[in-house]
Every structure is written in C-alpha cells, then in structure tokens.
Amino acid sequence: MIPQVVQVLAGENFTVYVYFLDGTIRLLDAKPLLKQGGVFSPLYDEVTFRNSLTVMNGTVAWDLEGTRNTSVCIDLDPCELYDNCPSTIDPLQEVI
C-alpha cells in the first residue's frame, strides 16, 4: 500500500506537518532538501515555501506556478515521507 497524504501544514523553519489517510501525522524537516538546490532552490524563500505548499499526486507538493498542474509541481515520494519522517502530534490540536 502506498501511503496517501491528505493534508499539509507549514510549520516553523521550513518544516511541514504531513497528515496521512491512516491518521498518522509526520513532521518533515525540508531544510536538507533545500540545501540540495536545483529544483528546490525557489523554496528557500519562506513565503514561496508556505504559499505554494499543497497536496498533489497524493503527497506533499509545491505548486510554484499556481496552476494545479500535477506534471510541473515539485512533489515528494509519500513512501519516503511515511517511512523516514518522525511521527508527531497534531499542532492544530491546541486550537480545537
């Protein structure tokens, strides 16, 4: 089974709370990706990082063009996120 991302929430300092269909929440630290440069370079701008963050293709994605075109977004492997990002508590739990 391929894990499916249903929601994302930008956190502090280039982190992303990743909500999976099975109810688990993982915390992605995107800084190592950003340091790679290349396709990730535009995301080093925190406004771009936050404003283009979305769910596309069933995973964490950045829609840099704002067109919802799944073939040109930057998206991450949901299996890698599920297997390698630590579980965390829901940051929105405090709001409820």
Side-chain angles (χ1 to χ4, degrees):
M1 176 190 100
I2 296 175
Q4 184 175 358
V5 175
V6 295
Q7 180 180 340
V8 292
L9 176 66
E12 298 292 322
N13 199 20
F14 299 102
T15 58
V16 178
Y17 292 89
V18 184
Y19 296 75
F20 286 90
L21 185 61
D22 70 357
T24 61
I25 303 168
R26 310 280 184 183
L27 184 61
L28 166 66
D29 179 0
K31 290 183 295 300
L33 292 174
L34 303 181
K35 288 179 183 176
Q36 292 178 18
V39 67
F40 298 108
S41 293
L43 301 179
Y44 235 115
D45 175 68
E46 193 166 354
V47 172
T48 301
F49 181 88
R50 289 179 168 278
N51 290 344
S52 61
L53 178 65
T54 189
V55 175
M56 295 174 74
N57 300 323
T59 191
V60 174
W62 287 270
D63 181 15
L64 295 175
E65 294 182 358
T67 60
R68 302 292 301 168
N69 183 342
T70 57
S71 64
V72 296
C73 69
I74 300 170
D75 58 357
L76 304 178
D77 181 343
C79 294
E80 286 291 318
L81 296 171
Y82 196 89
D83 292 341
N84 297 311
C85 293
S87 293
T88 190
I89 60 168
D90 189 346
L92 299 175
Q93 186 174 358
E94 297 290 323
V95 178
I96 299 174

